[in-house]
Amino acid sequence: MKIAFTTSDRVHINAHFGWARLIDVYEISDEGYHFVETLNFEGELKEDGNEDKITPKLEALGDCTIVYVTAIGGSAAARLIKKGVTPVKARSEEEEISEVLNKLVQTLKGNPPPWLRKALQQKPSNFTDEVGDEATV
């Protein structure tokens, strides 16, 4: 599954979802993780009530299962959840991306908590599953 992190330094989870210029994406499984890409967002991203500015982020994160943030507005969180992406608030702006990834790998090897099992069930594991789900009436 893919996990995303809002970041300003590519080390810590230290950016508000709406204001984030960088979002790092990783592929993760119970065997480990690897970096996939950094999503870059330009333009005026400060809080201004303009909901359209988050649309590119929502589209870019569509294949992610979880996005870690320091903060997120209610409407942005609702729009992510509607797309099947679970927003998770970091414990602090000092929390490191690698620390969270290592904990998630260990969690996936064991018995994931209910919120993580639910997030995992929201995403088809591959294209064949997705097509199979749509073909079932």
Side-chain angles (χ1 to χ4, degrees):
M1 71 176 157
K2 287 186 180 175
I3 308 288
F5 299 90
T6 59
T7 184
S8 64
D9 61 7
R10 304 198 56 222
V11 174
H12 299 93
I13 306 164
N14 60 1
H16 182 288
F17 180 77
W19 308 341
R21 295 201 176 279
L22 302 174
I23 300 179
D24 279 357
V25 179
Y26 290 80
E27 186 75 39
I28 186 170
S29 72
D30 61 358
E31 296 175 7
Y33 64 87
H34 68 273
F35 175 76
V36 176
E37 65 181 324
T38 297
L39 304 171
N40 290 291
F41 299 93
E42 301 296 326
E44 186 53 50
L45 299 175
K46 290 291 180 199
E47 184 176 5
D48 59 6
N50 177 6
E51 293 293 319
D52 291 339
K53 70 182 174 197
I54 64 169
T55 301
K57 290 179 184 170
L58 295 169
E59 291 170 2
L61 296 171
D63 62 344
C64 291
T65 303
I66 299 169
V67 60
Y68 280 84
V69 300
T70 55
I72 186 168
S75 64
R79 290 171 68 185
L80 275 173
I81 291 166
K82 189 174 181 182
K83 285 188 155 291
V85 180
T86 302
V88 175
K89 191 171 180 188
R91 280 181 257 183
S92 78
E93 291 188 14
E94 299 303 311
E95 191 163 28
E96 293 188 11
I97 293 169
S98 60
E99 186 181 311
V100 171
L101 286 166
N102 286 322
K103 286 179 187 172
L104 278 172
V105 169
Q106 292 306 312
T107 301
L108 290 172
K109 286 181 181 179
N111 185 17
W115 72 267
L116 184 52
R117 285 196 304 267
K118 183 178 180 188
L120 293 170
Q121 290 170 356
Q122 289 179 6
K123 292 285 183 185
S125 59
N126 61 42
F127 180 73
T128 309
D129 292 346
E130 196 169 325
V131 172
D133 290 346
E134 290 177 5
T136 308
V137 178

